[in-house]
Amino acid sequence: MIKKPFLYTGLAVMLSLSAVAQDKNAIKYSQTITKERGYDHLSILASDEYEGRETGKKGAWMAAEYIKKQFQSFGLKGPVKDGADPYFQKIGYASLSLSKSVLAVNGQTKESLKDYYITPNTVSAKGFDVKANSILFAGYGLSKDSFNEYEGQNVEGKVVMIFATGDPTAPAPAAPTTGRRAPSGAGSTQVKLKYLLDNKAAGVLIINPMVDNISPQMKAALANGNPFLKTQERLKGMANASVLPTVVIGTATANQILAAANTNIEEVKKKITETMKPNTVSINIPVAFAAASKETDVRAENVLGFLEGSDPKLKNEVLVITSHYDHIGLVNNPEATDKVNNGADDDGSGTTGVLMLAEAFMKAKKAGKGPKRSILFMTVVGEEKGLLGSEWYAEHPIFPIANTITNLNIDMIGRGDDDRPGNNDFVYIIGSNMLSDDLDRIGKKANADYVNITLDEKYNNRTDPNRFYYRSDHYNFAKFGIPVIFYFNGVHKDYHQPGDEVDKIDFPMLAKRAQLVYFTAWELANGANRPVVNKNDDGTPKAK
């Protein structure tokens, strides 16, 4: 609960001592950006009722409707002209799932998601139907010069069975590895499958012990299909792609096949390891597998609210302020006690920030003090699915990319970072100097003049191992040469967990960070000139 109002007295006193640097109107209309107003929005958007706001699901649709109604209540216009609703930009979002999935070994039908699985993205538009009287077992599926399990074999037109990963000839790592990094080189699944595809195998059975105990999360993911964005490039790539019919099988099915050759998984692996020789064998057992996929359009939309600038000479230039309103939805574990990934910080906090900024700027507009340039307030969908909503907008912009002066992107401003314990009076800024020194200067001056928060640039580089510069919606603007600032509070133990709840939000800091974005936006929307882009995407100076 909120115990006391967020007071602006200290801020007002500080600003009065250096009045030359501040715009009094900017200060006046910022005063609706409060922790109370933040709570009003976030307690709704991150409630259990919104079911974690997963793209393409009821909770995200509810969030989109809520944001739209807020934009309408502020007086923002819906700028979308080619849709049913001027506030919604429908994105070309679809789900690819299986309409058919069959595996039979020696005439015995196997059970999908128990004995085997087929992923939709391994099924071409035409589907596949493979039948064979024998299976070529090629061990680890290695095709190295020093250890070629296909030597003397012609795989064209044959069904091949291999282990998913592994290379018994590879040297052991010098030190224990951490994380879940997949094997690289000849032992990787991708390399093995490419060999079979290039050599025109009819299909492949991949032995993976994970099938023996498929998690509820994976079952749900396989059943619900693979989402994708229907950009022209992707549709063309999917239509032209060569796909190897692939079935992932468990150890019981693999051992049934190997039993026809009087062996089993354990004996085969032991023999290969001890002899360091391939153990490729043709097994006379019939197999048949077939699959077909279906594409289903899924409702998903960016929500747009437009404020037209007041200066006839500058109003065609547009500042875009974004956040993503989607999150990761419900927990796919029937035993979980908390089934909602509420996404209060990620990114309910950023969406709340955009709503507060939109309200503040519209109050200024109605009082005759609106910004000279236009501002597009946009909450995008599909960020958690791969930055889909912002990618769609950048490729189908409502306002020309050439007229877009900057993108200010807010993704998580409601909490602290586990790496900065005990003091939340900071925000990470990422990207501000990647393309434009002007933007970097404007953003930092706005902070010094109005907010005085610690600006941490720890992640403000292209070589950051976390790759934060590439992981939120601003990057889909940056890749088109639009300067960006990404505001971010870092990660915490509740990141992408049900514990990302409203009661853990630091609302005073959410409001303060939102004020920083507001004052930066005010300077950008009212400045004499748009930020000059003086760097290329790789950071090198732009040719004059």
Side-chain angles (χ1 to χ4, degrees), residues 46-68:
S47 65
D48 284 356
E49 183 182 3
Y50 279 56
E51 297 183 352
R53 308 186 306 277
E54 183 177 358
T55 298
K57 301 291 181 67
K58 181 182 78 170
W61 304 335
M62 292 172 65
E65 293 289 347
Y66 176 82
I67 297 162
K68 168 191 163 181

Side-chain angles (χ1 to χ4, degrees), residues 415-435:
R415 291 181 60 170
D417 187 339
D418 287 346
D419 288 342
R420 296 178 59 102
N423 182 7
N424 289 347
D425 192 23
F426 77 96
V427 70
Y428 294 114
I429 57 168
I430 301 171
S432 67
N433 64 347
M434 295 289 197
L435 298 173

Side-chain angles (χ1 to χ4, degrees), residues 35-51:
K35 71 175 185 178
E36 290 84 7
R37 197 72 178 113
Y39 181 83
D40 290 342
H41 292 306
L42 191 55
S43 61
I44 295 171
L45 289 167
S47 65
D48 284 356
E49 183 182 3
Y50 279 56
E51 297 183 352

Side-chain angles (χ1 to χ4, degrees), residues 77-98:
K77 302 298 183 183
V80 181
K81 294 182 173 59
D82 59 353
D85 191 314
Y87 290 90
F88 288 163
Q89 182 190 36
K90 184 180 185 304
I91 74 169
Y93 184 61
S95 176
L96 192 67
S97 58
L98 294 179

Side-chain angles (χ1 to χ4, degrees), residues 274-439:
E274 290 179 349
T275 65
M276 292 306 291
K277 293 181 180 180
N279 190 36
T280 302
V281 60
S282 181
I283 304 174
N284 293 319
I285 186 170
V287 63
F289 47 96
S293 64
K294 63 178 180 179
E295 178 187 311
T296 305
D297 285 339
V298 179
R299 176 189 165 184
E301 58 263 322
N302 297 327
V303 190
L304 284 65
F306 182 63
L307 188 164
E308 186 176 38
S310 61
D311 189 324
K313 295 181 179 179
L314 297 178
K315 67 180 183 180
N316 287 334
E317 296 183 353
V318 182
L319 167 65
V320 180
I321 301 175
T322 56
S323 67
H324 71 90
Y325 68 86
D326 66 304
H327 193 54
I328 61 173
L330 298 173
V331 175
N332 291 319
N333 183 353
E335 298 179 1
T337 55
D338 186 352
K339 297 184 183 301
V340 181
N341 292 296
N342 299 81
D345 191 24
D346 183 19
D347 184 31
S349 64
T351 300
T352 293
V354 170
L355 290 173
M356 291 197 291
L357 265 67
E359 182 178 23
F361 272 103
M362 278 306 301
K363 284 184 179 294
K365 173 77 170 179
K366 290 175 181 177
K369 304 297 182 182
K372 295 177 182 179
R373 291 182 177 83
S374 298
I375 303 179
L376 176 64
F377 299 93
M378 179 167 63
T379 58
V380 297
V381 74
E383 192 270 355
E384 301 290 3
K385 305 292 187 182
L387 314 185
L388 302 186
S390 56
E391 180 182 357
W392 187 264
Y393 179 86
E395 295 187 4
H396 305 81
I398 303 299
F399 301 97
I401 289 293
N403 293 358
T404 303
I405 68 163
T406 294
N407 170 232
L408 302 179
N409 181 45
I410 316 173
D411 191 350
M412 299 172 62
I413 56 166
R415 291 181 60 170
D417 187 339
D418 287 346
D419 288 342
R420 296 178 59 102
N423 182 7
N424 289 347
D425 192 23
F426 77 96
V427 70
Y428 294 114
I429 57 168
I430 301 171
S432 67
N433 64 347
M434 295 289 197
L435 298 173
S436 172
D437 288 326
D438 268 356
L439 178 60

